Amino acid sequence: MKKLFIVSFATLGFVACGKKADHVILSGKIDGYMGMPVELIGGTERHTLNVKSDGTFADTLTISTNYYNLLVQQTAMVPLYLQKGDELGINISLEKVTFSGKDTIIQVFLREKNKKINETRQNLETILSEELDGFKTTVADIKKQNDEFLGNYKGLPKEFVKLEEKSNHYFDLQLKALYPRVKSQFSGRQIEMPAEFKAELDKVDYTNETDFELFETYKALVMENFFGKYMNQEPDWKAMAEEIQAVKPAKIRSVFAEQLVFALNPQNGSETNEFIYKVIKDNVTKEDYLKHAEQLYAELEKLKSLKAGVISPKFEYENFKGGKTSLDDLKGKLVYIDIWATWCKPCLNEIPALQALEKEFHGKDIAFVSISIDQDKDKWLGYMKENKLQGIQLYAEMTTEGQNFIQDYSVSSIPRFILLDKEGKIISADAPRPSSPEIKELLVKNL
């Protein structure tokens, strides 16, 4: 059950010696703890806290930056400002928020600031949809409100205020950097970067590793500056990987390379996937990203065995119209397979193009087969009754037997399309989508 957790801070003590410790000590208790992971995340760091079954924890952590989030998975995210030598007690419960000790005012400020920032983020679509003059006014108002909130907050250390002023400046620039790309998406017309925004953004040093680790606002600005140009088009993944490989600051390059994990896919071709995987291995430091990349790359290697001309793995699934349908039942026809689910928006987006394709090739020796992998069979049945889809509609019960065909084709994302010839041999294990102009030519060529 998802709970709303309230946070109580108490600073327990400080290192009383001439040289400041290079670590922090975090301790406290999470009421109602149910075994969920608890992590301290900041910059490029990720620390997993050792929480006992009763919810208590005490960890000594080496830190390299100041701004962190204490993340209790699925329950709470607590913004923290930490300095080397701090000993901070944190109680997370359903009780009233209380604070005591040195610098706890910073933690209170961050929680209140985060509420304001989250309100802005919830309204981002509206803000970025505005016409330019309205957007300029809104962004100026946001900057003014953030600066006034900081300036009017009593008791904050001067060095912390300077950092927050910088963070506010980066947030302002981030909104301006986002505007032309997002506005173009919403309006359907190309929006150029306003000259005054460009002048401000051109002054930014996008290679500052210290600020990249310290400020989420700067990191978001750097990410938009690098990846924004790839967003409104079909990405050239190899070109992106080459550009990432050339980034000089190692920590920034590592975070950029993490994004390449999601670029590994069959449509790239073996050479491109091999290069992408190498860039990931050479630069990514986080173990979870590396493991995921390794798994995806292994699946891509497995797909190589499913080359054109090889006999396809078989299936036999429940047919919406009754009984079961197997691949052997379809011999003598081209078989165009769509692996999908009712919860998958990209899958649903392809249905109109698939229906148009079926209509265009009606009466030809082509079987259009849709295989649902919905876990909830009733949702599939309900969708079928409501939408009256054409073609051969099958349901893959995700038992061991039902999964075999899906696993044989290393299906890790959907929609996935497969094209087989009239003898059940593979033409393409990752065929073009119905919305792709290439699919008609491929079908005609193999009829």
Side-chain angles (χ1 to χ4, degrees):
M1 180 184 296
K2 190 171 183 178
K3 296 182 180 179
L4 174 64
F5 285 93
I6 304 299
V7 183
S8 168
F9 291 90
T11 303
L12 303 178
F14 298 90
V15 177
C17 59
K19 187 177 179 181
K20 205 168 190 179
D22 64 353
H23 59 259
V24 298
I25 298 174
L26 294 184
S27 62
K29 185 175 181 181
I30 303 169
D31 286 356
Y33 180 67
M34 296 180 288
M36 65 284 281
V38 180
E39 295 180 304
L40 184 71
I41 302 171
T44 55
E45 296 175 30
R46 182 184 292 262
H47 304 277
T48 300
L49 302 189
N50 182 23
V51 184
K52 296 179 181 178
S53 58
D54 64 357
T56 59
F57 60 92
D59 272 291
T60 301
L61 305 169
T62 301
I63 62 170
S64 63
T65 186
N66 300 110
Y67 288 95
Y68 289 86
N69 283 305
L70 183 68
L71 183 64
V72 184
Q73 189 170 319
Q74 297 181 335
T75 56
M77 185 176 75
V78 184
L80 300 174
Y81 179 81
L82 301 175
Q83 293 178 296
K84 292 177 180 179
D86 282 356
E87 297 182 20
L88 186 65
I90 309 171
N91 293 315
I92 303 178
S93 70
L94 296 173
E95 305 301 322
K96 181 180 177 181
V97 180
T98 58
F99 299 90
S100 64
K102 178 178 178 292
D103 286 345
T104 53
I105 189 172
I106 294 178
Q107 321 304 344
V108 179
F109 168 83
L110 287 176
R111 281 181 62 78
E112 293 179 10
K113 172 195 167 183
N114 263 30
K115 289 179 183 178
K116 290 181 174 292
I117 293 293
N118 286 336
E119 287 173 5
T120 300
R121 286 177 175 152
Q122 287 170 5
N123 292 317
L124 264 186
E125 183 173 329
T126 301
I127 293 168
L128 294 167
S129 297
E130 291 186 87
E131 295 303 323
L132 182 57
D133 288 343
F135 175 75
K136 287 180 181 178
T137 301
T138 300
V139 168
D141 287 344
I142 292 170
K143 178 71 161 61
K144 182 181 178 183
Q145 289 166 13
N146 289 340
D147 288 345
E148 286 179 350
F149 176 69
L150 175 62
N152 294 333
Y153 213 95
K154 305 299 181 185
L156 295 172
K158 288 182 179 179
E159 64 273 16
F160 176 74
V161 171
K162 288 181 179 178
L163 291 175
E164 282 297 298
E165 288 172 346
K166 204 170 185 181
S167 180
N168 286 350
H169 176 60
Y170 285 141
F171 186 59
D172 178 62
L173 291 176
Q174 180 196 349
L175 293 177
K176 291 172 180 175
L178 281 169
Y179 180 72
R181 177 174 66 81
V182 179
K183 176 64 175 175
S184 295
Q185 289 177 335
F186 288 144
S187 67
R189 65 183 194 272
Q190 184 60 38
I191 305 296
E192 299 299 327
M193 177 71 73
E196 61 194 273
F197 292 180
K198 185 176 186 302
E200 288 184 85
L201 293 165
D202 284 347
K203 294 177 184 176
V204 177
D205 174 9
Y206 293 98
T207 63
N208 188 325
E209 280 192 318
T210 301
D211 282 3
F212 192 80
E213 285 208 283
L214 191 58
F215 301 109
E216 285 298 319
T217 48
Y218 176 76
K219 181 188 286 186
L221 177 62
V222 172
M223 297 285 279
E224 174 61 28
N225 178 66
F226 184 88
F227 290 104
K229 58 182 171 289
Y230 293 103
M231 295 296 189
N232 287 355
Q233 59 185 4
E234 191 67 32
D236 182 337
W237 295 115
K238 187 172 184 183
M240 184 190 291
E242 288 171 343
E243 191 177 355
I244 288 172
Q245 189 76 298
V247 172
K248 290 185 179 179
K251 290 181 179 178
I252 295 177
R253 186 172 66 249
S254 177
V255 173
F256 284 2
E258 290 170 2
Q259 310 309 307
L260 289 175
V261 173
F262 309 103
L264 290 167
N265 69 79
Q267 294 180 347
N268 290 331
S270 297
E271 184 180 335
T272 296
N273 281 323
E274 185 177 347
F275 180 71
I276 290 172
Y277 186 51
K278 182 179 185 304
V279 174
I280 292 169
K281 287 199 301 178
D282 288 349
N283 296 288
V284 172
T285 57
K286 291 179 182 174
E287 197 62 33
D288 51 346
Y289 280 92
L290 287 169
K291 284 183 178 178
H292 188 46
E294 184 179 355
Q295 178 186 353
L296 288 175
Y297 191 69
E299 291 174 355
L300 291 170
E301 288 295 292
K302 182 180 176 182
L303 268 180
K304 289 181 180 179
S305 63
L306 299 173
K307 57 188 178 182
V310 172
I311 293 291
S312 170
K314 302 295 179 70
F315 65 76
E316 185 178 37
Y317 293 132
E318 178 183 341
N319 192 315
F320 177 69
K321 293 182 178 179
K324 290 191 173 184
T325 298
S326 71
L327 183 57
D328 288 338
D329 295 333
L330 305 174
K331 277 197 173 177
K333 294 185 177 183
L334 290 184
V335 182
Y336 186 54
I337 300 169
D338 170 18
I339 299 173
W340 72 295
T342 60
W343 47 260
C344 167
K345 277 194 173 183
C347 299
L348 302 184
N349 290 342
E350 288 293 329
I351 288 177
L354 180 58
Q355 290 176 322
L357 205 61
E358 291 172 354
K359 186 175 181 180
E360 183 173 344
F361 285 89
H362 181 72
K364 306 289 185 183
D365 288 333
I366 303 176
F368 290 92
V369 179
S370 295
I371 301 175
S372 165
I373 59 170
D374 278 279
Q375 290 185 333
D376 188 337
K377 184 179 177 181
D378 288 338
K379 286 188 176 179
W380 171 69
L381 288 170
Y383 190 89
M384 293 302 304
K385 290 172 183 175
E386 182 179 347
N387 293 277
K388 299 180 173 60
L389 299 184
Q390 301 301 307
I392 300 170
Q393 300 293 332
L394 307 181
Y395 180 74
E397 191 82 45
M398 284 292 100
T399 59
T400 301
E401 184 178 350
Q403 287 180 1
N404 285 345
F405 181 77
I406 307 301
Q407 291 177 346
D408 286 341
Y409 274 97
S410 297
V411 177
S412 58
S413 64
I414 54 175
R416 173 74 173 276
F417 296 89
I418 299 165
L419 182 62
L420 309 178
D421 71 12
K422 297 178 181 181
E423 296 178 358
K425 295 178 182 177
I426 296 171
I427 295 173
S428 175
D430 190 46
R433 296 184 177 195
S435 59
S436 169
E438 299 170 7
I439 186 59
K440 292 182 184 180
E441 182 181 344
L442 193 60
L443 292 176
V444 170
K445 179 182 176 181
N446 288 280
L447 271 174

